[in-house]
Amino acid sequence: GNWIKDLFLSETDEYYTIEKKTVKSNNYNLDGISLIIKNSTEKRRLIEQEIYNSSHDELTGLYNIRQLHLEIKKLLYNNSIKQDYYIVYMNIRNFKFINDMFGRLYGDKVLIQIGNWIKSNITYTNCSYGRLIGDTFGLIIPIDKFNEQLFTQKFSNFIVKYKNIEHKIVVHIGVYKVENITMDISTMFDRAHLAIANNTEIYKTVIQYYDEDVRQNVLNEQQLISELGIAIEENQIIPYLQPITDVNGNVVGAEALARWIHPKNGFMPPNKFIPIFEKNGHIVDVDKHIWRKVCQTLDMWRDKFNDLFISCV
């Protein structure tokens, strides 16, 4: 009969395609056999490269986000493996600044070195890792294999050198314990990210774990952000005036301090809402509102307290 077979020669690291065809005359008698041998190495290499490119990040060689999600699902749904897992989210602090300051080539070097470290050190069984988006990396590691000290030791002093540039890279690491394997993989990474979303350590590599307190804090923040517009419109946020005196104890002015009289939460000190708005840029709206209220106060003082000032810091 007729057939086609693929053959790999390990001695020469080459692929061949062998096709056998029977040759018959008009009376269907077998006249002979033709054997066609083709070197398919180049074609095979192109196919393999296309498959690799579709599943790997071009810069670091790690899995891309799509393939990493697939690999994580394979591990979680493998019933023969009875393990608990951590989802690990790694984020380079101020990566945009690094790119802007030192250039794209240096930024790529940072990503490559972190990728190389992950490949060299996360070699346990039942692990997988990849580059997510931009300056973020994702991993899945069995809990009993997760070595927190390994990460902190490496990234507490992670210096990347390239040509005449030498800069310390700060990496923040969020960890989420997988509780429900049916949860969307992107949601798992979101939760690991939430663990470090409110981290204020600018120059220090930290590892933080997700828990329900983290989730609740984020929900509370989102609630306050959604209420800001109404709070300004209804004058729930008002300036409290703290007197400023001269060396003789005479009042010469005042400092305006923002305070929020919340309809449900009551009197809210500034540390409960100012850092939230500073982080996401809404502090500008608060500042403008306080300035307006201060100007109204100064206008009322014009006749009796014209020599007093109000400072808005």
Side-chain angles (χ1 to χ4, degrees):
N2 299 328
W3 48 259
I4 299 178
K5 292 182 179 180
D6 291 319
L7 179 66
F8 174 69
L9 295 183
S10 58
E11 297 88 349
T12 59
D13 193 31
E14 291 180 319
Y15 290 92
Y16 288 88
T17 300
I18 304 176
E19 182 178 5
K20 174 198 171 187
K21 290 184 178 181
T22 56
V23 180
K24 297 181 179 180
S25 60
N26 292 335
N27 59 5
Y28 300 103
N29 292 324
L30 180 64
D31 294 327
I33 297 173
S34 68
L35 198 64
I36 303 172
I37 303 175
K38 295 181 180 179
N39 188 322
S40 58
T41 303
E42 184 176 351
K43 182 180 179 181
R44 188 66 176 260
R45 294 279 188 265
L46 288 174
I47 294 174
E48 290 176 349
Q49 188 63 46
E50 289 177 3
I51 295 173
Y52 179 88
N53 291 343
S54 68
S55 60
H56 288 74
D57 174 57
E58 181 180 1
L59 182 65
T60 64
L62 305 182
Y63 283 136
N64 57 30
I65 184 172
R66 175 180 171 276
Q67 189 63 32
L68 178 60
H69 283 202
L70 293 175
E71 297 298 323
I72 291 175
K73 286 182 178 179
K74 290 178 185 177
L75 287 173
L76 294 180
Y77 282 91
N78 188 341
N79 294 326
S80 65
I81 304 175
K82 302 298 182 182
Q83 287 184 315
D84 293 324
Y85 285 97
Y86 278 146
I87 293 291
V88 180
Y89 179 96
M90 300 175 61
N91 173 239
I92 303 172
R93 180 82 182 193
N94 293 328
F95 186 71
K96 185 179 184 303
F97 165 80
I98 293 172
N99 265 340
D100 292 343
M101 178 67 77
F102 304 118
R104 179 69 178 273
L105 290 178
Y106 181 81
D108 287 349
K109 191 72 173 179
V110 171
L111 296 172
I112 291 170
Q113 287 201 16
I114 291 179
N116 288 342
W117 182 87
I118 292 173
K119 284 186 285 188
S120 299
N121 290 271
I122 310 303
T123 56
Y124 326 115
T125 57
N126 304 323
C127 290
S128 194
Y129 45 76
R131 183 182 175 193
L132 300 176
I133 299 174
D135 61 329
T136 60
F137 297 83
L139 306 89
I140 180 171
I141 304 177
I143 289 179
D144 61 349
K145 299 295 184 181
F146 181 64
N147 188 341
E148 181 177 318
Q149 187 178 8
L150 175 70
F151 283 84
T152 53
Q153 283 182 345
K154 176 61 182 180
F155 293 106
S156 61
N157 191 34
F158 187 54
I159 297 175
V160 175
K161 299 178 182 179
Y162 178 67
K163 294 184 177 179
N164 61 336
I165 303 170
E166 182 175 325
H167 185 71
K168 181 179 179 180
I169 307 301
V170 177
V171 178
H172 289 169
I173 302 168
V175 182
Y176 168 70
K177 180 182 178 182
V178 177
E179 302 285 356
N180 178 10
I181 65 173
T182 63
M183 179 184 291
D184 189 76
I185 305 301
S186 60
T187 303
M188 295 182 187
F189 277 115
D190 286 342
R191 293 195 171 185
H193 182 205
L194 283 178
I196 57 173
N198 295 321
N199 181 62
T200 58
E201 293 283 0
I202 300 176
Y203 304 109
K204 182 180 178 182
T205 289
V206 293
I207 297 179
Q208 293 182 319
Y209 294 80
Y210 173 90
D211 56 27
E212 284 306 310
D213 289 339
V214 170
R215 180 175 179 272
Q216 191 58 50
N217 288 338
V218 172
L219 292 176
N220 291 340
E221 287 187 8
Q222 295 303 315
Q223 182 65 31
L224 290 181
I225 292 171
S226 68
E227 294 174 349
L228 177 60
I230 295 176
I232 291 176
E233 183 179 337
E234 296 181 353
N235 288 319
Q236 297 173 16
I237 298 178
I238 57 176
Y240 270 42
L241 301 182
Q242 178 173 284
I244 298 175
T245 63
D246 61 17
V247 293
N248 298 317
N250 299 314
V251 176
V252 295
E255 180 183 0
L257 306 174
R259 298 293 184 267
W260 190 344
I261 314 300
H262 195 278
K264 292 183 180 179
N265 301 332
F267 182 87
M268 293 179 59
N271 65 311
K272 295 297 184 181
F273 64 94
I274 293 296
I276 296 173
F277 297 142
E278 285 179 337
K279 182 173 61 178
N280 54 40
H282 289 296
I283 193 64
V284 174
D285 299 325
V286 177
D287 288 341
K288 289 180 179 179
H289 173 68
I290 293 298
W291 293 338
R292 283 194 295 268
K293 302 303 293 182
V294 164
C295 288
Q296 292 172 7
T297 301
L298 288 173
D299 187 55
M300 290 188 297
W301 286 4
R302 184 177 298 175
D303 295 332
K304 293 185 178 181
F305 310 108
N306 191 41
D307 57 337
L308 298 182
F309 68 87
I310 299 178
S311 172
C312 295
V313 180

